[in-house]
Amino acid sequence: MEIEKVDDAVTRRIRAITNRVAGLKQNELYFYNLPISELRGGARVLVGGREMGMYASYSYLGLIGHPRINQAAKEAVDKYGTGTHGVRSLAGSLPVHQELEETIAEFKGTESAITYSSGYVTNLTVVSTLVGRGDYVISDKLNHASIVDGCLMSGAKFLRFFHNDMEALEARLQQIESDAAKLVVVDAVFSMDGDIIDFPGIVGLCKKYNAWLMVDEAHSLGVLGKSGRGIEEYFGITDGIDIKMGTLSKTIPSAGGYIAAKTDIADYLRHASRAYIFSAALPPAQAAAANEAFKVILDEPWRVQSLCANTRQFIEGMQARGFDTMQTETAIVPVLCGSDEEAFMMTAASQQRGVFVLPVVSPAVPPGAARLRATITAAHEPTEIEHAMNLMEAAGKEVGILS
Ligand SMILES: Cc1ncc(COP(=O)(O)O)c(C=O)c1O
């Protein structure tokens, strides 16, 4: 017998989302959770039986399906099977985990590295293991949700500063008593806007005020710097970050998250962070795939160069067609639409023409700043990009975003 729930806050919350989703589906404006049934080449996908150009991928260097990476994963399955014997601290550690951590440390120029089972969990557990009650954690207003959740979970005093505004950050740092422990956390590239943190500014302030600096490189690994090593290579500053965080699910075509840092910091996290101690190890195939991917990035430097050229072509081309791409300088290219409704309509019109892009709407972005979040990869051909921009221009005119 089904038990009827009383009408409380939980049922109301569930109903609100259910109704919103149902309304969008009814109007054929629901675009989430669509299965991609086939990858066709690096930059084309089959969605709902239709082939489209892929402009919603985080595989920035086009490494999904790379033969060397696939082979590494297959060999790991043959050797170790599909799972581990539990958490890393007990029976879950394999040589592939150790190798991966050594590879990451080398790639990021640190003494050591530690991996977790997702990027989200990495931020959650690391921020809340580093700081706690009585400490301060200071976060850019546009930081990723996983950082925000880590800050809230930590119990430290949580201060936020205006996006990428170094005067606002300094005002926050001045407000804290000088002997208190303070951690500043920022994204290197912001996931909704594609802009880059003022890295020299933030490094200078953290040094001046004796604050720890943690930088999330989810969208800069493989994207920034001549060889794709990230934000430090891009700015030519090598000793600025205490805790270098990244994901293994974007440029690196696997799953997981990492921290690259000095040995004592990595060892501390290995013995104190709950997501390492109480959650199972990365599956061997994912660890081996990630390990090989870092090597492919260095062996195939043309990928970073292509990504850079493709990004420039797309941003300049979209701006020339009259789109507002905000402050982006990277492979995440917001295409400002305005209302949520306009973003949904623009998505539909683009997808109907064969361009697979997705909308980002409130509350993920402020009301009135709904957008498409287009992404560019090294796998796109310049002619494909030109074609996609023409199709999006036609879509923009149809829905009234362009005149
Ligand atoms: C900036 C940032 N950090 C962390 C994450 C979480 O990474 P993962 O998807 O690997 O859990 C994301 C994912 O979108 C992200 O954009």
Side-chain angles (χ1 to χ4, degrees):
M1 193 182 75
E2 203 177 319
I3 299 167
E4 215 27 52
K5 286 265 184 277
V6 289
D7 195 24
D8 63 4
V10 176
T11 53
R12 285 194 290 279
R13 239 171 251 143
I14 295 170
R15 198 181 318 122
I17 292 287
T18 308
N19 290 345
R20 190 171 186 206
V21 170
L24 289 171
K25 284 186 174 166
Q26 208 167 18
N27 293 312
E28 296 185 7
L29 293 175
Y30 183 79
F31 303 102
Y32 303 109
N33 304 305
L34 295 173
I36 291 175
S37 51
E38 254 180 58
L39 304 177
R40 294 194 166 165
R44 299 196 69 75
V45 287
L46 200 65
V47 186
R50 290 189 52 221
E51 186 176 306
M52 295 195 240
M54 176 54 144
Y55 291 85
S57 171
Y58 288 140
S59 183
Y60 295 119
L61 295 182
L63 292 179
I64 292 183
H66 192 289
R68 267 175 63 185
I69 299 171
N70 283 2
Q71 187 58 30
K74 285 176 195 161
E75 283 170 15
V77 170
D78 288 344
K79 198 161 175 189
Y80 301 110
T82 53
T84 59
H85 295 280
V87 303
R88 288 285 300 281
S89 322
L90 301 178
S93 275
L94 297 171
V96 280
H97 294 119
Q98 224 164 323
E99 253 176 74
L100 170 61
E101 286 165 355
E102 282 165 15
T103 300
I104 293 170
E106 198 182 323
F107 193 89
K108 293 303 300 171
T110 56
E111 291 172 0
S112 193
I114 173 171
T115 51
Y116 296 91
S117 55
S118 85
Y120 177 86
V121 139
T122 304
N123 278 333
L124 206 63
T125 202
V126 170
V127 173
S128 60
T129 305
L130 289 171
V131 287
R133 214 164 288 157
D135 304 331
Y136 288 82
V137 63
I138 310 167
S139 162
D140 184 287
K141 272 208 166 169
L142 294 192
N143 274 349
H144 190 258
S146 53
I147 297 176
V148 176
D149 292 354
C151 295
L152 292 170
M153 194 172 136
S154 73
K157 289 191 189 105
F158 181 22
L159 306 177
R160 301 199 302 162
F161 62 94
F162 288 123
H163 174 51
N164 218 352
D165 180 336
M166 293 305 115
E167 278 180 27
L169 171 59
E170 182 152 28
R172 288 300 195 201
L173 287 163
Q174 279 168 343
Q175 163 187 345
I176 302 171
E177 58 274 28
S178 60
D179 58 345
K182 32 199 175 296
L183 172 69
V184 174
V185 198
V186 289
D187 285 345
V189 166
F190 288 85
S191 58
M192 296 294 157
D193 293 31
D195 56 337
I196 303 172
I197 192 74
D198 176 351
F199 188 59
I202 214 152
V203 168
L205 285 175
C206 286
K207 288 208 164 121
K208 182 171 171 189
Y209 291 92
N210 192 33
W212 294 80
L213 178 59
M214 172 167 168
V215 178
D216 177 336
E217 294 229 59
H219 301 282
S220 54
L221 184 80
V223 174
L224 293 186
K226 200 160 174 283
S227 61
R229 287 178 201 263
I231 187 113
E232 293 165 298
E233 185 180 29
Y234 181 77
F235 283 99
I237 299 172
T238 48
D239 62 345
I241 309 176
D242 300 298
I243 295 109
K244 305 180 187 188
M245 182 273 169
T247 63
L248 303 173
S249 63
K250 296 180 170 38
T251 292
I252 304 296
S254 183
Y258 70 80
I259 296 294
K262 287 199 167 133
T263 302
D264 57 350
I265 297 174
D267 276 352
Y268 167 65
L269 293 172
R270 221 177 276 287
H271 295 96
S273 59
R274 294 166 80 82
Y276 189 90
I277 304 169
F278 295 110
S279 184
L282 268 182
Q286 300 316 123
N291 184 44
E292 192 64 20
F294 281 98
K295 296 178 177 172
V296 170
I297 295 174
L298 297 180
D299 290 345
E300 299 181 2
W302 61 266
R303 289 179 182 274
V304 179
Q305 290 151 21
S306 294
L307 175 63
C308 223
N310 290 350
T311 299
R312 205 171 322 114
Q313 181 192 351
F314 188 70
I315 295 173
E316 286 172 7
M318 290 298 275
Q319 286 175 352
R321 285 167 174 82
F323 286 109
D324 182 348
T325 59
M326 305 176 70
Q327 305 299 317
T328 185
E329 294 176 69
T330 67
I332 297 172
V333 183
V335 179
L336 197 63
C337 297
S339 66
D340 290 1
E341 182 79 349
E342 284 173 304
F344 288 133
M345 308 248 293
M346 181 65 189
T347 306
S350 301
Q351 290 196 5
Q352 275 153 17
R353 287 169 170 82
V355 181
F356 189 68
V357 277
L358 290 168
V360 183
V361 299
S362 60
V365 290
R371 63 197 70 169
L372 305 188
R373 183 175 43 173
T375 49
I376 289 297
T377 74
H380 291 113
E381 291 295 332
T383 48
E384 284 178 329
I385 296 173
E386 212 56 36
H387 183 55
M389 289 194 294
N390 290 338
L391 296 173
M392 289 175 81
E393 183 178 9
K397 285 182 175 156
E398 181 188 294
V399 304
I401 288 165
L402 295 181
S403 47

